[in-house]
CSV table of all heavy atoms in Angstrom, one decimal:
chain,number,residue,atom,x,y,z
U,1,SER,N,0.8,-1.2,0.0
U,1,SER,CA,0.0,0.0,0.0
U,1,SER,C,0.9,1.2,0.0
U,1,SER,O,1.6,1.5,0.9
U,1,SER,CB,-0.9,0.0,1.2
U,1,SER,OG,-1.6,1.2,1.3
U,2,LYS,N,0.8,2.0,-1.1
U,2,LYS,CA,1.6,3.3,-1.1
U,2,LYS,C,1.1,4.3,-0.1
U,2,LYS,O,1.9,5.0,0.5
U,2,LYS,CB,1.4,3.9,-2.5
U,2,LYS,CG,2.1,3.0,-3.6
U,2,LYS,CD,2.0,3.7,-5.0
U,2,LYS,CE,2.6,2.9,-6.1
U,2,LYS,NZ,2.5,3.5,-7.4
U,3,ARG,N,-0.2,4.3,0.2
U,3,ARG,CA,-0.7,5.2,1.2
U,3,ARG,C,-0.2,4.8,2.6
U,3,ARG,O,0.2,5.7,3.3
U,3,ARG,CB,-2.2,5.1,1.2
U,3,ARG,CG,-2.9,6.1,2.1
U,3,ARG,CD,-4.4,6.1,2.0
U,3,ARG,NE,-5.0,7.0,2.9
U,3,ARG,CZ,-6.3,7.2,3.1
U,3,ARG,NH1,-7.1,6.4,2.3
U,3,ARG,NH2,-6.8,8.0,3.9
U,4,GLY,N,-0.2,3.5,2.9
U,4,GLY,CA,0.3,3.1,4.2
U,4,GLY,C,1.8,3.4,4.3
U,4,GLY,O,2.3,3.7,5.4
U,5,LYS,N,2.6,3.2,3.2
U,5,LYS,CA,4.0,3.5,3.3
U,5,LYS,C,4.3,4.9,3.5
U,5,LYS,O,5.2,5.3,4.3
U,5,LYS,CB,4.6,3.0,2.0
U,5,LYS,CG,6.2,3.2,1.9
U,5,LYS,CD,6.7,2.6,0.6
U,5,LYS,CE,8.2,2.8,0.6
U,5,LYS,NZ,8.8,2.2,-0.7
U,6,SER,N,3.5,5.8,2.9
U,6,SER,CA,3.7,7.3,3.1
U,6,SER,C,3.4,7.7,4.5
U,6,SER,O,4.1,8.5,5.2
U,6,SER,CB,2.9,8.1,2.1
U,6,SER,OG,1.5,7.8,2.3
U,7,LYS,N,2.3,7.0,5.1
U,7,LYS,CA,2.0,7.4,6.5
U,7,LYS,C,3.1,6.9,7.4
U,7,LYS,O,3.5,7.6,8.4
U,7,LYS,CB,0.7,6.7,6.9
U,7,LYS,CG,-0.5,7.4,6.3
U,7,LYS,CD,-1.8,6.8,6.9
U,7,LYS,CE,-3.0,7.5,6.4
U,7,LYS,NZ,-4.3,7.0,6.9
U,8,GLY,N,3.7,5.7,7.2
U,8,GLY,CA,4.7,5.2,8.0
U,8,GLY,C,6.0,6.1,8.0
U,8,GLY,O,6.6,6.3,9.0
U,9,THR,N,6.3,6.6,6.8
U,9,THR,CA,7.4,7.5,6.7
U,9,THR,C,7.2,8.8,7.5
U,9,THR,O,8.1,9.3,8.1
U,9,THR,CB,7.7,7.8,5.2
U,9,THR,OG1,7.9,6.6,4.5
U,9,THR,CG2,8.9,8.7,5.1
U,10,MET,N,6.0,9.3,7.3
U,10,MET,CA,5.6,10.5,8.1
U,10,MET,C,5.7,10.3,9.6
U,10,MET,O,6.3,11.2,10.3
U,10,MET,CB,4.2,11.0,7.7
U,10,MET,CG,3.8,12.3,8.4
U,10,MET,SD,2.1,12.8,7.9
U,10,MET,CE,1.2,11.4,8.6
U,11,PHE,N,5.2,9.2,10.1
U,11,PHE,CA,5.3,9.0,11.5
U,11,PHE,C,6.7,8.8,12.0
U,11,PHE,O,7.1,9.2,13.1
U,11,PHE,CB,4.5,7.7,11.9
U,11,PHE,CG,3.0,7.9,11.8
U,11,PHE,CD1,2.1,6.9,11.4
U,11,PHE,CD2,2.4,9.2,12.0
U,11,PHE,CE1,0.8,7.1,11.3
U,11,PHE,CE2,1.0,9.4,11.9
U,11,PHE,CZ,0.2,8.3,11.5
U,12,ALA,N,7.6,8.2,11.2
U,12,ALA,CA,9.0,8.0,11.5
U,12,ALA,C,9.7,9.3,11.6
U,12,ALA,O,10.5,9.6,12.5
U,12,ALA,CB,9.7,7.1,10.5
U,13,LEU,N,9.4,10.2,10.7
U,13,LEU,CA,10.0,11.6,10.7
U,13,LEU,C,9.6,12.3,11.9
U,13,LEU,O,10.4,13.0,12.6
U,13,LEU,CB,9.7,12.3,9.4
U,13,LEU,CG,10.3,11.8,8.1
U,13,LEU,CD1,9.8,12.6,6.9
U,13,LEU,CD2,11.8,11.9,8.2
U,14,ILE,N,8.3,12.2,12.3
U,14,ILE,CA,7.8,12.9,13.5
U,14,ILE,C,8.4,12.4,14.7
U,14,ILE,O,8.8,13.1,15.6
U,14,ILE,CB,6.2,12.7,13.6
U,14,ILE,CG1,5.5,13.5,12.4
U,14,ILE,CG2,5.7,13.3,14.9
U,14,ILE,CD1,4.0,13.3,12.4
U,15,GLY,N,8.6,11.0,14.8
U,15,GLY,CA,9.3,10.4,16.0
U,15,GLY,C,10.7,10.9,16.1
U,15,GLY,O,11.2,11.2,17.2
U,16,VAL,N,11.5,11.0,15.0
U,16,VAL,CA,12.9,11.4,15.0
U,16,VAL,C,12.9,12.9,15.5
U,16,VAL,O,13.7,13.3,16.3
U,16,VAL,CB,13.5,11.3,13.6
U,16,VAL,CG1,14.9,11.9,13.6
U,16,VAL,CG2,13.6,9.8,13.3
U,17,GLY,N,12.0,13.7,15.0
U,17,GLY,CA,11.9,15.1,15.4
U,17,GLY,C,11.7,15.3,16.8
U,17,GLY,O,12.3,16.1,17.5
U,18,ALA,N,10.8,14.5,17.4
U,18,ALA,CA,10.5,14.5,18.8
U,18,ALA,C,11.7,14.2,19.6
U,18,ALA,O,12.0,14.8,20.7
U,18,ALA,CB,9.3,13.6,19.1
U,19,VAL,N,12.4,13.1,19.2
U,19,VAL,CA,13.6,12.7,20.0
U,19,VAL,C,14.6,13.8,20.0
U,19,VAL,O,15.3,14.1,21.0
U,19,VAL,CB,14.2,11.4,19.4
U,19,VAL,CG1,15.5,11.1,20.0
U,19,VAL,CG2,13.2,10.3,19.6
U,20,VAL,N,14.8,14.5,18.8
U,20,VAL,CA,15.8,15.6,18.7
U,20,VAL,C,15.4,16.7,19.6
U,20,VAL,O,16.2,17.3,20.3
U,20,VAL,CB,15.9,16.1,17.3
U,20,VAL,CG1,16.8,17.3,17.2
U,20,VAL,CG2,16.5,15.0,16.4
U,21,LEU,N,14.1,17.1,19.7
U,21,LEU,CA,13.6,18.2,20.5
U,21,LEU,C,13.8,17.8,22.0
U,21,LEU,O,14.2,18.7,22.8
U,21,LEU,CB,12.2,18.5,20.3
U,21,LEU,CG,11.8,19.1,18.9
U,21,LEU,CD1,10.3,19.3,18.7
U,21,LEU,CD2,12.5,20.5,18.8
U,22,VAL,N,13.5,16.6,22.4
U,22,VAL,CA,13.8,16.2,23.8
U,22,VAL,C,15.2,16.3,24.2
U,22,VAL,O,15.6,16.7,25.2
U,22,VAL,CB,13.2,14.8,24.0
U,22,VAL,CG1,13.6,14.3,25.4
U,22,VAL,CG2,11.7,14.8,23.9
U,23,GLY,N,16.1,15.8,23.2
U,23,GLY,CA,17.6,15.9,23.5
U,23,GLY,C,18.0,17.3,23.7
U,23,GLY,O,18.8,17.7,24.6
U,24,ILE,N,17.5,18.3,22.9
U,24,ILE,CA,17.9,19.7,23.0
U,24,ILE,C,17.4,20.2,24.3
U,24,ILE,O,18.1,21.0,25.0
U,24,ILE,CB,17.3,20.5,21.8
U,24,ILE,CG1,18.0,20.0,20.5
U,24,ILE,CG2,17.5,22.0,22.0
U,24,ILE,CD1,17.4,20.7,19.3
U,25,ALA,N,16.2,19.9,24.7
U,25,ALA,CA,15.6,20.4,26.0
U,25,ALA,C,16.5,19.9,27.2
U,25,ALA,O,16.7,20.6,28.1
U,25,ALA,CB,14.2,19.9,26.1
U,26,VAL,N,16.9,18.6,27.1
U,26,VAL,CA,17.7,18.1,28.2
U,26,VAL,C,19.1,18.8,28.3
U,26,VAL,O,19.5,19.2,29.4
U,26,VAL,CB,18.0,16.6,28.0
U,26,VAL,CG1,19.0,16.1,29.0
U,26,VAL,CG2,16.7,15.8,28.2
U,27,LEU,N,19.7,19.1,27.1
U,27,LEU,CA,21.0,19.8,27.1
U,27,LEU,C,20.8,21.2,27.7
U,27,LEU,O,21.7,21.7,28.4
U,27,LEU,CB,21.6,19.8,25.7
U,27,LEU,CG,22.0,18.4,25.1
U,27,LEU,CD1,22.4,18.6,23.7
U,27,LEU,CD2,23.1,17.8,26.0
U,28,VAL,N,19.8,21.9,27.3
U,28,VAL,CA,19.5,23.3,27.8
U,28,VAL,C,19.3,23.3,29.3
U,28,VAL,O,19.8,24.1,30.0
U,28,VAL,CB,18.3,23.9,27.0
U,28,VAL,CG1,18.0,25.2,27.7
U,28,VAL,CG2,18.7,24.1,25.6
U,29,THR,N,18.5,22.3,29.8
U,29,THR,CA,18.3,22.2,31.2
U,29,THR,C,19.5,22.0,32.0
U,29,THR,O,19.8,22.6,33.0
U,29,THR,CB,17.3,21.1,31.5
U,29,THR,OG1,16.1,21.3,30.8
U,29,THR,CG2,16.9,21.0,33.0
U,30,VAL,N,20.4,21.0,31.5
U,30,VAL,CA,21.7,20.8,32.2
U,30,VAL,C,22.5,22.0,32.2
U,30,VAL,O,23.2,22.3,33.2
U,30,VAL,CB,22.4,19.6,31.6
U,30,VAL,CG1,23.8,19.4,32.1
U,30,VAL,CG2,21.6,18.3,31.8
U,31,ALA,N,22.6,22.7,31.1
U,31,ALA,CA,23.4,23.9,31.0
U,31,ALA,C,22.9,25.0,32.0
U,31,ALA,O,23.7,25.7,32.6
U,31,ALA,CB,23.4,24.5,29.6
U,32,LEU,N,21.6,25.2,32.1
U,32,LEU,CA,21.1,26.2,33.0
U,32,LEU,C,21.4,25.8,34.5
U,32,LEU,O,21.7,26.7,35.3
U,32,LEU,CB,19.6,26.3,32.8
U,32,LEU,CG,19.1,27.0,31.5
U,32,LEU,CD1,17.6,26.9,31.4
U,32,LEU,CD2,19.6,28.4,31.4
U,33,VAL,N,21.2,24.5,34.8
U,33,VAL,CA,21.5,24.1,36.2
U,33,VAL,C,23.0,24.3,36.5
U,33,VAL,O,23.3,24.8,37.6
U,33,VAL,CB,21.2,22.6,36.3
U,33,VAL,CG1,21.7,22.1,37.7
U,33,VAL,CG2,19.7,22.4,36.3
U,34,LYS,N,23.9,24.0,35.6
U,34,LYS,CA,25.3,24.2,35.9
U,34,LYS,C,25.7,25.6,36.0
U,34,LYS,O,26.6,26.0,36.7
U,34,LYS,CB,26.2,23.5,34.8
U,34,LYS,CG,26.1,22.0,34.9
U,34,LYS,CD,27.1,21.4,33.9
U,34,LYS,CE,27.1,19.8,34.0
U,34,LYS,NZ,28.1,19.2,33.0
U,35,LYS,N,25.0,26.5,35.2
U,35,LYS,CA,25.3,27.9,35.2
U,35,LYS,C,24.7,28.6,36.4
U,35,LYS,O,25.3,29.5,37.1
U,35,LYS,CB,24.7,28.5,34.0
U,35,LYS,CG,25.0,30.0,33.8
U,35,LYS,CD,24.5,30.6,32.5
U,35,LYS,CE,24.8,32.1,32.4
U,35,LYS,NZ,24.3,32.7,31.2
U,36,GLY,N,23.4,28.3,36.8
U,36,GLY,CA,22.7,29.0,37.8
U,36,GLY,C,22.6,28.4,39.2
U,36,GLY,O,22.2,29.0,40.1
U,37,GLY,N,23.0,27.1,39.3
U,37,GLY,CA,22.9,26.4,40.6
U,37,GLY,C,21.5,26.1,41.0
U,37,GLY,O,20.6,26.1,40.1
């Protein structure tokens, strides 16, 4: 199913984007803690 394949690709891209955003948020939080105590 071409339609199912396109949906699977879209969901995979959304999942990768969410993981990247979570990683950035964790790095920013750690940097703020180390800077501000």
Side-chain angles (χ1 to χ4, degrees):
S1 174
K2 294 183 179 180
R3 184 178 179 182
K5 183 176 181 180
S6 62
K7 284 187 177 180
T9 304
M10 180 180 65
F11 289 149
L13 292 175
I14 293 175
V16 171
V19 171
V20 172
L21 290 177
V22 171
I24 293 175
V26 171
L27 293 176
V28 171
T29 302
V30 172
L32 290 177
V33 169
K34 290 186 176 181
K35 181 178 180 181

